[in-house]
Amino acid sequence: MTGNKKGLTYADAGVDIDAGNKAVHLMRGAVRSTFRPEVLAEIGSFGGFFALNTGKYQEPVLVAGTDGVGTKLRVAMLMNRHDTIGIDAVAMCVNDILVQGAEPLFFLDYLAVGRLVPENVAAIVSGVAEGCRQAGCSLIGGETAEMPGFYSPEEYDVAGFAVGVVERCKIVDGGKIVPGDVLIGLPSSGLHSNGYSLARKVLLEVAGFKADTYIDKLGRTVGEEMLEPTRIYVKTVLPLLERFNIKGMAHITGGGLTENVVRVLPEGTGAAIKLGTWDVPPVFNLIREKGEVEDQEMLRTFNMGIGLVAVVDAGQAEAVMEDLSSRGERSCRIGEVIGGRKEVSYI
C-alpha cells in the first residue's frame, strides 16, 4: 500500500483485540480459583489439560453435557447485571451429568458478545467460576467471541460444556426402578433457567411489571427474583451416591416434573406425584395468577419448586431424607413409582 491513507482495522469493523486481552486479564484470577489438582494447563493455552486420576476407578466412564441459559439472558441484559448468569450456565450442565451419577471434573464456556466490554465479560466469567466452585469442577478453557453485526452491542449469549466421571458399575440410569420406589424431591431456588419465555411474557408484559417493581409476596423486585441463580446440587447429591442405592435421578428443567421424571423411568412404570407435599415458591403462583396459566401448563413448563428428584427404595427413603437433614438440606417425599404407562400423574 502507498500513500498516507490509513487502512481499515479489525477494531474499525467492531472487534477490539485489546479489549479481549483485557477481559482475559480480568478473569484470570476467577478462573484459577476453580482449578483442581488434576489441571495441567494455564489459561491462554489452545486447550485445557486435565489429568484423569484413573487409579481411583476400575472402569471410569466420562459423562458429558452441554446447555445454555435460554432467554433468562434477556433479564440479565435488561437489568445490566451479569455476575450471576454464569452460575446458571454451569448449573444446567453439571446437574444434567450429576443425575447420571457423575462427579463433574471440568467445564468449558462459550461467550458471544455484540461488543466486548472487558468488565462485563469478566463479570460473566466470574459467575461461571462461582458455579464451578459450587460444583467442585475446574474451568479449564473457553471462548469469547466478539460478533458485531450479529448481536447488537448490548446482547450476548453464553453456553457451557461439562465433563464428569463415574464408575461404570455405579452409573445411575433408572434401569432397576420398580413400582413402590419413592420419589424424593430437592427444592429449587426458584425459576432456575427454564420457562423464561412464558415467565417474561406474563410478568413483564401481561402484568406490566418492571424489573425494579417490588413485589411483597416475593420480598424483592421482579428482576431480582428472575435472576436468582439455578441451584447446583453436586455437593448435596454426591454423598448420597456414596451411602445409598440411588436408583434414578431427574434434573427438573424445561418440561417440568411432567416431562423430566419419566425420562429416568423404565418401561412399564409411571410416577404418581402428590401435589401439596412441598412448598411452591411464590413466583410460580404469581405467574399462574397474572397469566391465568392452567395448572397442567405450569407443571410441564416450570420446576414448581422441585429442582431435582431422586428415586430410592421405599426402605431407604427415610434414611436418605435424614441424611440430607443432618447436612442442613431440605427434602420432601413427593410421590412414588407405580406400574403402568410411562407418564406422570398428579394426585
Side-chain angles (χ1 to χ4, degrees):
M1 298 179 65
T2 59
N4 296 322
K5 184 177 179 180
K6 183 180 179 181
L8 287 173
T9 66
Y10 210 4
D12 292 329
V15 179
D16 190 337
I17 295 176
D18 291 334
N21 291 335
K22 182 180 179 181
V24 170
H25 174 74
L26 291 174
M27 71 176 73
R28 187 181 300 273
V31 173
R32 284 190 60 85
S33 72
T34 71
F35 283 5
R36 294 165 54 121
E38 299 97 326
V39 177
L40 302 182
E42 293 284 348
I43 185 173
S45 300
F46 285 95
F49 292 82
F50 191 95
L52 181 63
N53 181 9
T54 54
K56 183 179 177 181
Y57 304 92
Q58 297 297 315
E59 292 185 277
V61 176
L62 295 180
V63 184
T66 185
D67 208 340
V69 183
T71 61
K72 187 172 186 174
L73 286 168
R74 282 293 179 199
V75 183
M77 296 173 203
L78 180 65
M79 296 185 66
N80 194 29
R81 181 181 173 186
H82 313 291
D83 59 337
T84 62
I85 207 72
I87 301 175
D88 294 289
V90 176
M92 297 304 291
C93 297
V94 298
N95 287 341
D96 275 356
I97 65 173
L98 173 68
V99 297
Q100 311 298 312
E103 175 190 3
L105 296 176
F106 59 84
F107 188 83
L108 304 169
D109 65 346
Y110 171 78
L111 175 62
V113 301
R115 180 170 64 91
L116 200 157
V117 179
E119 292 75 14
N120 288 350
V121 170
I124 295 167
V125 176
S126 72
V128 174
E130 171 59 24
C132 287
R133 289 191 293 270
Q134 291 183 24
C137 65
S138 301
L139 176 57
I140 65 170
E143 163 72 1
T144 301
E146 191 170 20
M147 301 173 63
F150 194 86
Y151 295 101
S152 70
E154 297 79 21
E155 288 183 328
Y156 64 91
D157 196 8
V158 62
F161 176 85
V163 172
V165 63
V166 61
E167 191 76 72
R168 181 184 290 271
C169 65
K170 294 182 179 180
I171 293 174
V172 179
D173 62 4
K176 295 183 179 179
I177 292 174
V178 296
D181 287 341
V182 172
L183 306 179
I184 295 176
L186 299 181
S188 69
S189 57
L191 288 166
H192 281 188
S193 298
N194 299 103
Y196 270 76
S197 294
L198 179 56
R200 290 187 303 109
K201 179 74 175 180
V202 170
L203 298 177
L204 303 179
E205 295 184 30
V206 176
F209 296 139
K210 304 297 183 183
D212 61 356
T213 302
Y214 184 88
I215 305 294
D216 288 336
K217 291 181 179 180
L218 301 179
R220 53 183 169 179
T221 67
V222 171
E224 289 169 338
E225 179 68 35
M226 295 183 79
L227 275 191
E228 179 68 33
T230 304
R231 183 178 171 190
I232 293 174
Y233 295 95
V234 175
K235 293 180 180 178
T236 299
V237 168
L238 287 180
L240 293 180
L241 296 174
E242 295 175 0
R243 301 166 190 167
F244 302 98
N245 177 25
I246 306 299
K247 294 185 173 183
M249 290 185 286
H251 180 203
I252 310 305
T253 57
L257 289 163
T258 304
E259 302 292 341
N260 285 288
V261 172
V262 296
R263 294 171 64 179
V264 74
L265 298 178
E267 292 297 331
T269 64
I273 295 178
K274 188 175 182 180
L275 300 175
T277 53
W278 71 90
D279 295 328
V280 176
V283 65
F284 297 110
N285 292 324
L286 184 66
I287 292 171
R288 178 194 286 114
E289 294 167 6
K290 295 298 183 180
E292 298 181 351
V293 183
E294 298 289 341
D295 288 345
Q296 293 299 317
E297 185 68 14
M298 293 292 298
L299 288 162
R300 71 188 303 266
T301 303
F302 302 108
N303 66 64
M304 298 304 290
I306 297 295
L308 186 142
V309 174
V311 185
V312 302
D313 184 271
Q316 286 195 328
E318 185 175 346
V320 169
M321 295 178 69
E322 287 178 353
D323 180 89
L324 289 165
S325 179
S326 72
R327 293 187 281 123
E329 301 285 354
R330 293 184 296 126
S331 64
C332 43
R333 182 170 176 159
I334 66 170
E336 65 178 19
V337 178
I338 59 175
R341 294 179 59 185
K342 192 175 177 179
E343 63 182 13
V344 171
S345 57
Y346 295 99
I347 304 171

